[in-house]
Amino acid sequence: MAKTRTFYQCQSCGYTSAKWLGKCPDCGSWNSFVEEKAVTGGRSSLRQPLSKTAPVSLQAIEGISEQRTSTGIGEFDRVLGGGVVAGSVILVGGDPGIGKSTLLLQAFSGLSGRTGKLLYVSGEESPQQIKMRADRLSVNAENIILLPETSLEGILDAAGKMSPDAMVIDSIQTVYTQELMSAPGSVGQVRECAAKLMLHAKRSHIPVFIVGHVTKEGTIAGPRVLEHIVDTVLYFEGDRGHSYRVLRTMKNRFGSTNEIGIFEMSDAGLREVNNPSELFLSERPQNVSGSTVVACIEGTRPLMVEIQALVSQTNFGMPRRTSIGVDFNRVNLLIAVLEKRAGLHLGGMDIFINIVGGLKIIEPAVDLGIIATIASSAREKPVEPKTCVFGEIGLSGEIRAVAQAEARLKEAAKIGFRRAVLPAGNAEKIRGNQGIEVIGVRNCEDFLNAVLL
Ligand code: TYD
Ligand code: MG
């Protein structure tokens, strides 16, 4: 085989060098050099065209409905946009030990009855280890073939001979191609291997799942470098301390993003959680200050989550502000709104905010929940336990309408809430009885009067 020439390129400015350098002499950035394949003598897989194609008019293309196969795990299918699409490459990223291998083995178990052979390539665990886990998970192992291999050429060769109906690469950090000299897991290797796997998926029209570990910083050869290559990016998140795991879509060419699937890690593997709101509220304290339930929307699904706050006199000159699960800057902004518009004196107070269950909420509808929780803790007044809230707040204390109010109300009513305090702009538009008392508010002051006991 002809030896491939490689060079090192700065990822910030494009400066190239024959040797690896710690600091780019051109733009001065540190640790930005990545091994790349030389274009002469052979093309990078990324640039290789799939076939010689002529331009076609959009109108002339006949639509084909994409084939989707269910994995047998409802939450996983939902996140994928309704099942696995043939020919797609799905990256499953997450911290080591979060349950990526478990999830994919369970998905293969579900696929096993529906498709032909499935190839599980593991560079991390021996077939015996996988067998032990499969037994614990009671996997339907009928069609699952294990391949302990880390050379990409070996993997593609085996896949070519076997022509499986789906493939898992666990994990991309252990796979290497002989064309690059750098160690497995380096950015160049990860990107080149992923590009070749992508090509294989498109050519043989099978789904390929790629497992990628995220390092703490999310930088060094993290799956981030793959995000633009693959079709779907899923992140498996969760606290080690909690048993819930959230599978989140970051990118999906075959479905909506921001969809989440919720699982619980048990001794028999991952279990789907069909009623997450109940799970997240199961240990909620009643009639205690500093706890509010917000009706959020995650993707297409309404979710009731509890927000807690602790406001206490600071012991140091500089008050501490901490937020877990919501944006820190947003919390600071809301504290300023409370000071100015509701007359709360929070300047000498430490404030801690936490979303229960290790969830992360980014939508603005969570504002009213944060406001209510902080005010509740600061004034030592509990929020009425059967009341939930949602809505956005502006800097002048005005309460702004948010999307999908009816879906939120339905979920709240289902869980057993009796009152919902929401933006007047939303309340006016609600038609019919939602099975819950609806209270519309226009400003911060009215809002706090409506929710605090
Ligand atoms: P794993 O799928 O190996 O994680 P990853 O592939 O993301 O590194 O899962 C590892 C964790 O899951 C491990 O800490 C043990 C736990 N686990 C259970 O609690 N129950 C189970 O049935 C299985 C298979 C794993
Ligand atoms: Mg694993």
Side-chain angles (χ1 to χ4, degrees):
M1 199 181 75
K3 198 169 176 312
T4 325
R5 268 194 49 236
T6 65
F7 61 94
Y8 292 83
Q9 187 164 39
C10 171
Q11 298 298 293
S12 348
C13 71
Y15 181 88
T16 58
S17 150
K19 278 199 226 149
W20 186 84
L21 298 172
K23 184 185 178 190
C24 178
D26 202 10
C27 69
S29 51
W30 288 93
N31 202 15
S32 60
F33 278 82
V34 168
E35 190 185 23
E36 306 262 8
K37 242 188 334 178
V39 185
T40 50
R43 290 187 187 161
S44 158
S45 333
L46 269 177
R47 287 184 211 107
Q48 221 160 8
L50 280 178
S51 57
K52 290 226 158 40
T53 43
V56 278
S57 119
L58 183 57
Q59 216 171 14
I61 300 172
E62 275 179 44
I64 44 154
S65 58
E66 65 227 357
Q67 302 163 17
R68 285 188 187 266
T69 318
S70 166
T71 58
I73 307 174
E75 295 285 299
F76 195 21
D77 286 348
R78 167 219 292 281
V79 169
L80 289 171
V84 194
V85 177
S88 66
V89 178
I90 301 132
L91 174 68
V92 182
D95 294 336
I98 204 81
K100 301 180 294 296
S101 307
T102 309
L103 175 73
L104 290 176
L105 200 56
Q106 285 183 282
F108 260 23
S109 170
L111 282 173
S112 185
R114 293 162 229 255
T115 57
K117 283 190 208 125
L118 304 163
L119 181 63
Y120 192 105
V121 182
S122 180
E124 300 198 335
E125 290 163 301
S126 68
Q128 286 74 23
Q129 278 175 304
I130 299 174
K131 171 72 180 161
M132 270 162 56
R133 173 181 307 163
D135 284 344
R136 192 135 65 90
L137 302 175
S138 334
V139 160
N140 172 10
E142 198 184 336
N143 284 323
I144 303 178
I145 317 274
L146 298 181
L147 176 69
E149 174 70 86
T150 52
S151 148
L152 184 75
E153 285 72 21
I155 294 168
L156 291 180
D157 190 44
K161 284 189 185 127
M162 203 186 110
S163 44
D165 281 351
M167 201 155 100
V168 164
I169 307 293
D170 188 1
S171 66
I172 191 77
Q173 272 91 3
T174 60
V175 178
Y176 69 96
T177 165
Q178 283 152 8
E179 289 174 8
L180 298 186
M181 301 306 286
S182 49
S186 62
V187 177
Q189 283 283 5
V190 164
R191 203 169 42 190
E192 197 60 31
C193 291
K196 288 203 169 144
L197 287 167
M198 175 86 173
L199 218 58
H200 181 78
K202 301 291 166 200
R203 281 200 181 132
S204 50
H205 207 56
I206 60 165
V208 174
F209 295 89
I210 298 179
V211 172
H213 296 291
V214 195
T215 51
K216 228 181 204 155
E217 298 78 27
T219 50
I220 309 157
R224 305 230 137 212
V225 295
L226 304 180
E227 281 177 2
H228 68 281
I229 304 178
V230 302
D231 295 309
T232 303
V233 180
L234 307 178
Y235 270 93
F236 209 25
E237 317 172 325
D239 248 351
R240 254 353 140 66
H242 284 111
S243 58
Y244 334 118
R245 300 283 184 269
V246 178
L247 188 63
R248 203 181 277 278
T249 335
M250 306 300 284
K251 163 182 175 180
N252 196 352
R253 289 187 182 143
F254 304 104
S256 93
T257 51
N258 270 329
E259 201 57 89
I260 61 167
I262 299 174
F263 297 88
E264 197 178 357
M265 185 59 99
S266 69
D267 51 359
L270 291 161
R271 248 202 315 254
E272 295 176 57
V273 175
N274 297 320
N275 48 355
S277 300
E278 280 170 28
L279 175 78
F280 291 125
L281 299 182
S282 59
E283 287 164 297
R284 187 162 70 105
Q286 303 271 315
N287 284 316
V288 176
S289 67
S291 159
T292 311
V293 176
V294 184
C296 296
I297 297 272
E298 275 287 327
T300 55
R301 142 198 276 195
L303 194 62
M304 308 294 290
V305 293
E306 183 190 348
I307 302 184
Q308 295 192 329
L310 193 66
V311 177
S312 63
Q313 197 74 43
T314 182
N315 288 320
F316 304 101
M318 184 82 168
R320 274 193 71 178
R321 306 279 151 93
T322 305
S323 75
I324 300 173
V326 279
D327 183 36
F328 179 70
N329 291 325
R330 190 92 202 158
V331 169
N332 278 333
L333 186 148
L334 295 174
I335 292 171
V337 172
L338 270 176
E339 291 220 340
K340 185 97 177 167
R341 309 289 168 197
L344 243 62
H345 301 294
L346 300 169
M349 299 291 195
D350 287 341
I351 300 177
F352 304 94
I353 306 278
N354 181 33
I355 304 257
V356 176
L359 285 176
K360 286 195 191 71
I361 308 287
I362 38 176
E363 63 157 353
V366 78
D367 286 1
L368 288 190
I370 297 173
I371 294 261
T373 323
I374 296 176
S376 157
S377 183
R379 291 186 179 162
E380 292 287 345
K381 283 183 183 172
V383 172
E384 206 276 312
K386 292 282 177 206
T387 298
C388 68
V389 304
F390 64 87
E392 186 181 350
I393 193 159
L395 289 186
S396 47
E398 83 280 14
I399 301 210
R400 294 164 168 267
V402 292
Q404 305 193 51
E406 297 199 359
R408 296 172 204 261
L409 290 174
K410 275 206 187 84
E411 178 75 6
K414 200 172 95 191
I415 302 295
F417 284 89
R418 294 207 206 97
R419 280 168 88 227
V421 183
L422 57 153
N426 282 127
E428 283 156 9
K429 294 208 184 86
I430 285 164
R431 301 267 166 273
N433 184 5
Q434 304 287 327
I436 186 166
E437 186 191 346
V438 171
I439 301 162
V441 286
R442 288 190 190 282
N443 60 51
C444 190
E445 202 64 43
D446 290 352
F447 169 67
L448 292 181
N449 290 337
V451 285
L452 298 185
L453 276 180

